[in-house]
Amino acid sequence: MSHAPTPGAPRLTVVHDRLRPEEHLLFEAFDARGVHVERLYAPAWQWQAGAVRRDGETYLLRTLSHARTLAIARALESDGATVVNAAHVIDTCGDKAATSAALARHGVPQPETAIVFSRDEALAFAERVGWPIVLKPTLGSWGRMVSRLHDVDALDAVLEHKMHLGGPHHQVFYLQEHVDKPQRDLRAFVLGETVIAAIAREGSDWRTNTARGATVRGTPVTPDIERIALAAAHAVGGGILAVDLLESDRGLLVGEVNHGLEFRNSSEPTGVDIPGAIADHLLALTERHAPAVS
Amino acid sequence: MQTVSTPYGSLDLDPSILELGELLVSDDGVELEVVSLEPLRLEPAPEEAEDWGE
């Protein structure tokens, strides 16, 4: 169902490339509210520096590539638009090293984490925190190329591949202690200053990503989940975010903060209409940033 | 409905309800992304790229 834009109404645009179930759910949510949203297909768009002003306009970015999303955010912000999530938030969340730095700066608990540039320093980290350790690419998602290394032989093999086959960002070795979590992690959905829902992702793979077959069930938003998730969201700059949490004997630790959250499997188990809540949040934001009518 | 032939197989589709960015599967099992509506253009959709994700 399509709605004509109301003359003078604040303009809201969803920027996308490949349409996932999430984008269809968001379009349905806006339709259900009788709200017209523009759709901008990023591959068919070009930004020209300084060509137009976009003051009072709001853009929700739903593109898949981190590099593409960040470039679009920077371009639109330079035109005066409000972009969700903001470029500095995308920049921080899209780079695990930047996320860890932001969390550390704000005192948000996370697994023992190190950035090293050599095999010897990686080994020193492993000997300090104990085997196994986890090596993650600083860019990427869905558990891709995340390795659990049990000994020095495994560490040497993976680092050799990264050093000889990887691009520049593979030369930054992002290491974490292995958190012995209970075959699941938690995810909190944050909209602005509110945690609207939480899920537990459970699976047989130690990487409990739904992209790797983990199943989802709803879990209550406990005071601890709320406190840590909001602190993490605040540390990276806030917005519409999914905060991944690991349960440890030191309490909840932040695994990562996602700026392009997927939620197709999360509304039913939580009983929360996540795309509807995102639509309402954006509409409120759009109203706030609309130019005053004289 | 109309049948569209591509180098990656054929598809039966209704051009009036197609959306940019939509994924379609040809009869050869190839995933194609709608990258243009006028003229209609479909291109093979990569399964995943290194910096894709959440």
Side-chain angles (χ1 to χ4, degrees), chain A residues 107-163:
Chain A
V108 181
Q110 61 183 315
E112 286 268 358
T113 301
I115 299 164
V116 304
F117 308 100
S118 69
R119 180 256 190 198
D120 286 351
E121 290 305 314
L123 190 56
F125 174 78
E127 286 171 351
R128 182 169 67 80
V129 302
W131 300 98
I133 59 169
V134 177
L135 174 67
K136 299 179 177 179
T138 53
L139 297 180
S141 193
W142 300 329
R144 195 171 41 236
M145 289 188 283
V146 173
S147 307
R148 181 168 57 178
L149 307 173
H150 288 272
D151 56 32
V152 66
D153 287 345
L155 175 71
D156 282 343
V158 174
L159 291 192
E160 185 176 6
H161 277 85
K162 284 175 76 73
M163 285 190 272

Side-chain angles (χ1 to χ4, degrees), chain A residues 5 8 11 23 31 36 45 74 93 107 117 133 141 165 204 253:
Chain A
R11 187 166 159 191
E23 285 71 50
D31 273 351
H36 173 82
W45 179 70
R74 287 176 170 151
C93 294
F117 308 100
I133 59 169
S141 193
L165 299 176
S204 52
L253 306 174

Side-chain angles (χ1 to χ4, degrees), chain B residues 3-28:
Chain B
T3 301
V4 174
S5 293
T6 79
Y8 312 98
S10 300
L11 305 92
D12 291 324
L13 49 80
D14 179 353
S16 67
I17 58 166
L18 281 182
E19 296 178 284
L20 287 168
E22 198 171 345
L23 275 189
L24 307 169
V25 181
S26 76
D27 60 2
D28 284 353

Side-chain angles (χ1 to χ4, degrees), chain A residues 2 7 20 42 72 74 84 88 92 109 117-118 126 137 158 162 165 175 187 257 274 281 283 286:
Chain A
S2 181
R20 292 167 289 179
I72 293 170
R74 287 176 170 151
V84 181
H88 70 279
T92 302
F117 308 100
S118 69
V158 174
K162 284 175 76 73
L165 299 176
L175 301 169
R187 166 167 287 195
V257 186
I274 294 173
H281 178 77
L283 292 171
T286 303

Side-chain angles (χ1 to χ4, degrees), chain A residues 24-264:
Chain A
H24 287 295
L25 290 166
L26 285 168
F27 294 143
E28 286 170 16
F30 285 115
D31 273 351
R33 285 156 177 75
V35 173
H36 173 82
V37 292
E38 304 283 340
R39 300 183 189 193
L40 195 161
Y41 181 60
W45 179 70
Q46 66 170 272
W47 175 75
Q48 295 180 36
V52 295
R53 292 297 304 167
R54 301 176 199 271
D55 304 281
E57 298 180 17
T58 301
Y59 290 78
L60 173 67
L61 305 190
R62 292 293 311 175
T63 39
L64 271 164
S65 149
H66 169 68
R68 176 179 284 180
T69 307
L70 182 56
I72 293 170
R74 287 176 170 151
L76 293 172
E77 285 181 355
S78 80
D79 293 338
T82 299
V83 182
V84 181
N85 288 306
H88 70 279
V89 177
I90 295 166
D91 201 14
T92 302
C93 294
D95 179 330
K96 290 183 179 66
T99 303
S100 279
L103 295 174
R105 190 161 56 243
H106 289 81
V108 181
Q110 61 183 315
E112 286 268 358
T113 301
I115 299 164
V116 304
F117 308 100
S118 69
R119 180 256 190 198
D120 286 351
E121 290 305 314
L123 190 56
F125 174 78
E127 286 171 351
R128 182 169 67 80
V129 302
W131 300 98
I133 59 169
V134 177
L135 174 67
K136 299 179 177 179
T138 53
L139 297 180
S141 193
W142 300 329
R144 195 171 41 236
M145 289 188 283
V146 173
S147 307
R148 181 168 57 178
L149 307 173
H150 288 272
D151 56 32
V152 66
D153 287 345
L155 175 71
D156 282 343
V158 174
L159 291 192
E160 185 176 6
H161 277 85
K162 284 175 76 73
M163 285 190 272
H164 291 286
L165 299 176
H169 63 271
H170 284 292
Q171 311 311 314
V172 177
F173 305 138
Y174 177 88
L175 301 169
Q176 287 188 319
E177 66 170 316
H178 178 257
V179 176
D180 196 16
K181 60 188 183 182
Q183 290 299 105
R184 65 175 191 180
D185 71 1
L186 305 174
R187 166 167 287 195
F189 295 95
V190 179
L191 305 187
E193 297 297 324
T194 308
V195 180
I196 61 162
I199 56 170
R201 302 184 299 181
E202 301 170 333
S204 52
D205 192 303
W206 68 279
R207 296 162 294 185
T208 40
N209 299 82
T210 51
R212 297 191 171 275
T215 56
V216 172
R217 66 175 178 79
T219 194
V221 179
T222 63
D224 267 357
I225 290 176
E226 183 173 46
R227 179 174 56 84
I228 302 289
L230 289 178
H234 179 255
V236 301
I240 297 177
L241 300 163
V243 180
D244 293 346
L245 302 163
L246 308 175
E247 296 160 283
S248 79
D249 53 12
R250 310 197 300 275
L252 292 175
L253 306 174
V254 175
E256 56 187 72
V257 186
N258 301 282
H259 67 82
L261 53 154
E262 293 176 334
F263 47 81
R264 70 192 70 167

